[in-house]
Amino acid sequence: MFEEVLQQSGFWTSTGPLSHIVLSSRVRLARNMKSVPFPNRMVGDESFPVRDALRRFARESAFRDNVTVIDLQSIESGEKRFLRERNLITYEIEVSENSMVAVDTIDDFAILVNEEDHFRIQVIRPGLQLMESYRAADRVDTELNRFVPYAFSEELGFLTACTSNLGTGLRVSVMLHLPVITIKNRMGDLVPEDKKSAVEIKGTIGPSSKTLGGLYQLSNRVSLGLSEVDIIETVDEVLGRIVETEDSLRDELFSLSRLEMEDRIWRSMGILLHARRLTYIESMDHISNLRLGIIMAVLKNMDVRAVNDLMVNIQWAHLQRHYSLLFKSTNECDEYRADYIRKTLHQYEVQ
């Protein structure tokens, strides 16, 4: 069953609404077990009730036929990193000693155990599907509550380790590809002043504190005092403004500077087709240009899903798994990354 989880196709291999800009929608619900210390305060066997509840959920819940429980203490570090690279777990869980994850490959959700909170229900869908993702997470939440007495306050709502998650315990986010807003340096005016206390937008940061491939995450800041629908509608409202801005800037840039943009895209294609060593950051910047080129019809005979897949598969643990190797250095990984990209792109008769 664990091997099935590793081989599962991810959300990035499909497209959804507004997928030319919105790569994915993610919903997380933070829940804690009543009368059990938060994970950062656990000592000894205090994590047992939480871990046991997850196992009972996997055995007895309505999802029991499709749920795989992975005790992260029992797998190798490379496998943990692979799961993190696929967004099934977080870095906090990867390095934790008490963590588990339950993965349902059919209903497509995960429950992260003993990260910041006892339970994090996570649903990720391609494109803009925040409400659909929330409904799926809510179904899992209802079923999990049969096995877990939730820590809840009539005044504060669901009790969580971080005060920003108090209330609904809901964190919604969308992953955005904003290459032209990045080129034009227009990030500062995307979120209206009256929404800045409710939502935030952050770049996907690489090792050098540089935004990777024009990728950004828009999410809610707080969940206290708001309903789940209020939170989703607020994020959706700001997202609409961002999508409109990126679309408008793309049309403007390709209308006024098409040759410059085509040159930028084809230069990236040339580097990716012929380079013998590529860092992750450099690769992501060039792949971002390819993705823009496909959407703006500069590159033919290539699907945006193939580029999304490439963004995931060029990561360290994915490359190690593909080549059945353990890299001895960053340079060795960079060489295999370049090899993987060349072979993948040569499959397409790009025009």
Side-chain angles (χ1 to χ4, degrees):
M1 290 290 286
F2 178 53
E3 192 63 27
E4 289 180 16
V5 172
L6 295 181
Q7 294 177 359
Q8 179 189 12
S9 295
F11 60 86
W12 56 88
T13 59
S14 303
T15 56
L18 297 179
S19 58
H20 67 299
I21 291 176
V22 184
L23 275 76
S24 63
S25 302
R26 183 178 70 185
V27 165
R28 284 181 174 172
L29 291 172
R31 299 291 185 258
N32 287 282
M33 182 178 280
K34 185 178 179 181
S35 302
V36 177
F38 290 129
N40 66 341
R41 294 179 175 274
M42 286 178 171
V43 294
D45 295 331
E46 288 181 326
S47 68
F48 175 80
V50 175
R51 295 162 65 88
D52 182 61
L54 183 71
R55 291 192 177 96
R56 287 190 293 111
F57 173 88
R59 289 195 310 267
E60 303 169 23
S61 75
F63 302 101
R64 59 186 175 275
D65 293 336
N66 305 315
V67 173
T68 300
V69 175
I70 304 169
D71 190 333
L72 296 178
Q73 292 175 291
S74 67
I75 64 175
E76 297 178 357
S77 59
E79 292 172 325
K80 293 181 188 178
R81 180 164 180 167
F82 183 88
L83 293 175
R84 172 170 58 83
E85 290 176 357
R86 292 176 88 80
N87 285 312
L88 280 173
I89 65 172
T90 61
Y91 175 76
E92 289 75 15
I93 276 194
E94 182 185 0
V95 299
S96 171
E97 295 181 355
N98 279 327
S99 297
M100 305 169 71
V101 61
V103 181
D104 187 313
T105 56
I106 303 299
D107 295 283
D108 208 11
F109 68 83
I111 302 177
L112 289 66
V113 173
N114 287 335
E115 188 209 36
E116 185 177 67
D117 294 287
H118 295 150
F119 303 94
R120 285 278 178 94
I121 300 166
Q122 173 177 279
V123 174
I124 305 178
R125 296 286 186 265
L128 178 57
Q129 299 191 68
L130 284 177
M131 189 57 74
E132 294 83 353
S133 299
Y134 167 68
R135 292 191 184 109
D138 186 52
R139 288 193 295 272
V140 179
D141 182 36
T142 300
E143 189 68 8
L144 181 63
N145 195 198
R146 290 178 52 216
F147 302 89
V148 180
Y150 288 154
F152 185 84
S153 161
E154 292 295 335
E155 180 182 358
L156 298 174
F158 291 102
L159 303 181
T160 56
C162 180
T163 54
S164 64
N165 290 325
L166 279 172
T168 63
L170 174 65
R171 183 59 56 95
V172 303
S173 62
V174 285
M175 186 65 71
L176 307 173
H177 183 221
L178 305 174
V180 181
I181 285 177
T182 303
I183 292 170
K184 293 288 190 178
N185 196 24
R186 291 282 299 274
M187 293 304 303
D189 56 356
L190 289 181
V191 179
E193 284 296 326
D194 63 328
K195 302 295 183 184
K196 286 186 176 179
S197 63
V199 300
E200 62 179 347
I201 186 166
K202 299 184 295 185
T204 302
I205 305 299
S208 62
S209 298
K210 179 182 182 297
T211 299
L212 288 175
L215 297 177
Y216 297 84
Q217 179 175 279
L218 176 72
S219 62
N220 63 303
R221 284 181 177 272
V222 294
S223 68
L224 182 62
L226 299 168
S227 72
E228 291 86 352
V229 173
D230 289 338
I231 292 169
I232 292 170
E233 287 182 347
T234 300
V235 172
D236 202 42
E237 179 184 342
V238 176
L239 174 61
R241 174 190 176 105
I242 294 172
V243 169
E244 183 179 346
T245 301
E246 175 70 18
D247 275 336
S248 176
L249 288 175
R250 288 183 185 186
D251 291 341
E252 177 185 310
L253 191 58
F254 275 82
S255 174
L256 299 177
S257 308
R258 186 170 185 88
L259 183 61
E260 177 187 340
M261 291 308 298
E262 287 185 352
D263 183 67
R264 182 189 187 103
I265 292 162
W266 282 109
R267 282 177 181 271
S268 286
M269 177 63 81
I271 289 172
L272 294 174
L273 279 171
H274 299 288
R276 263 45 187 175
R277 183 181 287 171
L278 286 166
T279 67
Y280 181 62
I281 293 175
E282 183 182 8
S283 300
M284 288 293 288
D285 285 341
H286 291 307
I287 292 171
S288 172
N289 289 333
L290 261 59
R291 193 177 196 278
L292 179 63
I294 293 168
I295 291 165
M296 300 305 292
V298 175
L299 301 177
K300 309 294 196 304
N301 299 337
M302 194 171 183
D303 192 284
V304 71
R305 289 172 296 185
V307 175
N308 294 347
D309 203 36
L310 201 57
M311 287 181 171
V312 174
N313 289 331
I314 62 169
Q315 297 176 96
W316 179 286
H318 279 71
L319 290 171
Q320 285 194 145
R321 183 172 174 80
H322 178 78
Y323 288 101
S324 299
L325 290 171
L326 292 176
F327 297 137
K328 299 179 179 66
S329 66
T330 302
N331 283 342
E332 184 180 16
C333 179
D334 293 346
E335 291 165 12
Y336 278 97
R337 178 178 294 113
D339 179 76
Y340 181 86
I341 292 172
R342 287 198 312 273
K343 289 177 178 176
T344 300
L345 293 181
H346 276 301
Q347 298 174 17
Y348 302 93
E349 296 179 6
V350 182
Q351 300 174 2

